[in-house]
């Protein structure tokens, strides 16, 4: 489902010259978000259906915003901004689309007799707890609407703003299944801030995992993406997995970097500035497509499996260790998905998708 299905008709008089965003109400800049423009739009749908062919372990998503202040250089969602005639680089980080009526629309959709209360995932395209959530505060209304309708929900985030809503999530978890996932793949703070400049630091995300667990909620961790020759050495992975175990993570999935479409030249440009010696190696590794070759994926799998066993995230048979038979595929970690339909304790292989919004 593309953005066109999420906006009002193309003849909407509120669309401003120079932007192809029908339903646009206004564009806003504020001092606390220097260099960022929020384009506030009205949407006609909040629930997005995920095609069954995607093999994702959920059929519905909600994304209250487009674009992301996290500014992760490798972000797979960057190309979705091109559907808006914005670029996948700086525009993705500074031109943020905000669906101001998303909570009201979601409540109406969930009240329909046809709604089957299927699991709904949040955080599948851009992060629902990026800093923009601090301004618009959509998530409490979204969580309450889903819980009130009896709909299981899952959240995947890098944003420590999730802590604000932990009491609410703990309360609704008594009536509907709730899954929580945190993304943390880089333990070295200097590298992490260079490649993910708008995200909370590693220590803050480890504290978030602890807070989620202290609230009585599960918390799976996506160690993704692993960056070849930057974060794939045994010492780094061992240290990170030890910290995740100490923080109480209920499951871990480790996945290598993929570079789809315009993300590849953006990441290569980042390498030229920060690690120029690796540019030719990345060009060779990703020269044939978006995904790392099977040989690298198997090598990473062999390196990671004993570390997962060591830190209690897999048994000696490799269960819960993730699967790497197909490049770009991997399981969701235990605890990160709501247990309705597909068990969070028995993850299902899920192909990475370029567009889920």
């Amino acid at each position: 489902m593309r953005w066109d299905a999420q906006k009002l008709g193309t003849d909407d008089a509120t669309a401003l010259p120079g932007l192809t965003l029908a339903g646009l109400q206004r564009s806003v800049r504020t001092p606390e978000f220097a260099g960022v423009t929020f384009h506030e739009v009205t949407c006609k749908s909040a629930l997005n259906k995920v095609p069954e062919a995607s093999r994702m372990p959920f059929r519905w998503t909600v994304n209250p915003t487009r674009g992301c202040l996290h500014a992760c250089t490798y972000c797979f969602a960057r190309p979705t901004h091109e559907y808006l005639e914005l670029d996948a680089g700086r525009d993705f980080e500074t031109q943020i689309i905000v669906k101001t009526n998303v909570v009201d629309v979601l409540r109406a959709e969930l009240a329909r007799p046809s709604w089957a209360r299927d699991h709904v995932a949040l955080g599948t395209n851009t992060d629902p707890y990026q800093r923009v959530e601090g301004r618009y505060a959509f998530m409490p209304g979204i969580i309450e609407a889903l819980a009130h309708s009896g709909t299981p929900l899952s959240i995947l985030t890098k944003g420590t703003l999730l802590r604000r809503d932990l009491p609410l999530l703990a309360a609704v978890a008594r009536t509907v299944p709730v899954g929580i996932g945190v993304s943390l793949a880089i333990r070295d703070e200097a590298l992490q801030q260079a490649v993910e400049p708008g995200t909370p630091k590693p220590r803050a995300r480890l504290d978030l995992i602890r807070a989620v667990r202290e609230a009585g909620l599960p918390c799976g961790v996506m160690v993704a993406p692993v960056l070849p020759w930057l974060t794939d050495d045994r010492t780094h992975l061992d240290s990170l997995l030890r910290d995740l175990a100490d923080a109480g993570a209920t499951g871990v999935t480790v996945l290598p970097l993929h570079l789809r479409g315009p993300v590849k030249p953006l990441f290569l440009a980042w390498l030229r500035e920060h690690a120029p010696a690796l540019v030719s190696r990345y060009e060779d590794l990703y020269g044939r497509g978006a995904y790392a070759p099977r040989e690298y994926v198997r090598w990473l799998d062999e390196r990671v499996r004993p570390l997962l066993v060591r830190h209690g995230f897999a048994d000696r048979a490799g269960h819960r260790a993730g699967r790497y038979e197909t490049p770009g595929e991997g399981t969701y970690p235990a605890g990160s998905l709501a247990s309705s339909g597909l068990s969070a304790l028995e993850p299902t292989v899920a192909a990475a998708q370029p567009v889920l919004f």
Side-chain angles (χ1 to χ4, degrees):
M1 180 178 294
R2 295 193 174 186
W3 180 251
D4 288 323
Q6 290 291 93
K7 64 188 182 183
L8 302 180
T10 56
D11 58 348
D12 190 334
T14 63
L16 300 181
L19 270 178
T20 57
L21 287 177
L24 180 63
Q25 303 301 298
R26 63 174 185 165
S27 295
V28 182
R29 292 185 179 179
T30 63
E32 62 267 34
F33 293 91
V36 176
T37 302
F38 298 116
H39 302 290
E40 298 179 349
V41 305
T42 54
C43 63
K44 64 179 182 180
S45 177
L47 286 165
N48 313 297
K49 189 169 185 179
V50 180
E52 292 188 11
S54 73
R55 299 177 65 189
M56 299 300 286
F58 42 78
R59 295 277 68 82
W60 299 92
T61 68
V62 173
N63 292 282
T65 59
R66 290 282 303 281
C68 192
L69 299 174
H70 285 339
C72 301
T73 308
Y74 53 74
C75 181
F76 75 92
R78 285 180 175 272
T80 65
H81 241 45
E82 295 182 340
Y83 298 137
L84 311 178
E85 297 184 13
L86 296 167
D87 69 57
R90 187 65 177 160
D91 283 352
F92 180 79
E93 305 166 7
T94 61
Q95 305 296 315
I96 309 299
I97 315 304
V98 182
K99 305 174 190 177
T100 55
N101 63 337
V102 66
V103 175
D104 290 337
V105 172
L106 178 62
R107 288 194 185 109
E109 290 179 318
L110 295 172
R112 294 172 181 168
S114 59
W115 176 242
R117 298 176 179 82
D118 294 325
H119 170 204
V120 172
L122 299 112
T124 61
N125 186 61
T126 53
D127 198 314
Y129 283 105
Q130 60 175 298
R131 284 197 305 130
V132 64
E133 169 63 14
R135 174 181 173 85
Y136 290 96
F138 292 131
M139 287 299 288
I142 291 172
I143 293 165
E144 289 172 344
L146 292 168
H148 179 74
S149 69
T151 300
L153 66 130
S154 297
I155 298 168
L156 177 62
T157 185
K158 295 176 182 175
T160 53
L161 185 55
L162 171 67
R163 296 183 75 153
R164 179 199 68 193
D165 294 341
L166 285 179
L168 173 61
L169 286 163
V172 303
R174 292 193 286 268
T175 60
V176 297
V178 172
I180 304 292
V182 170
S183 176
L184 176 56
I186 305 174
R187 188 65 183 88
D188 178 82
E189 185 176 303
L191 175 60
Q192 180 268 327
Q193 286 291 288
V195 77
E196 304 171 348
T199 63
K201 294 179 180 179
R203 177 55 56 187
R205 277 183 263 173
L206 288 169
D207 289 342
L208 173 62
I209 295 166
R210 290 189 181 90
V212 173
R213 299 296 289 126
E214 289 169 0
L217 295 163
C219 189
V221 177
M222 298 291 289
V223 178
V226 172
L227 307 177
W229 301 293
L230 287 170
T231 64
D232 61 357
D233 64 276
R234 185 176 285 104
T235 300
H236 173 270
L237 292 168
D238 188 36
S239 176
L240 177 59
L241 291 172
R242 181 180 62 248
D243 287 346
L244 295 177
D246 290 345
T250 53
V252 167
T253 290
V254 181
L255 293 173
L257 174 72
H258 67 271
L259 298 171
R260 185 180 286 107
V263 181
K264 185 182 295 186
L266 287 170
F267 193 79
L268 290 174
W270 181 88
L271 282 173
R272 291 187 186 97
E273 179 180 353
H274 296 275
L278 294 179
V279 172
S280 61
R281 300 176 78 174
Y282 269 76
E283 289 175 334
D284 290 342
L285 193 65
Y286 292 94
R288 296 183 181 180
Y291 294 100
R294 289 177 181 269
E295 293 77 12
Y296 177 85
V297 175
R298 293 193 181 104
W299 174 86
L300 180 62
D301 182 29
E302 291 173 358
R303 168 158 289 188
V304 166
R305 282 182 183 272
L307 299 178
L308 291 169
V309 172
R310 175 183 299 174
H311 297 292
F313 294 117
D315 62 25
R316 296 191 180 277
H319 299 146
R320 295 179 61 208
R323 289 180 56 190
Y324 296 96
E325 286 85 345
T326 304
E329 291 190 354
T331 62
Y332 274 70
S336 65
L337 295 180
S339 58
S340 176
L342 294 170
S343 172
L345 296 178
E346 297 178 0
T348 298
V349 174
Q353 297 298 308
V355 183
L356 284 177
F357 55 92

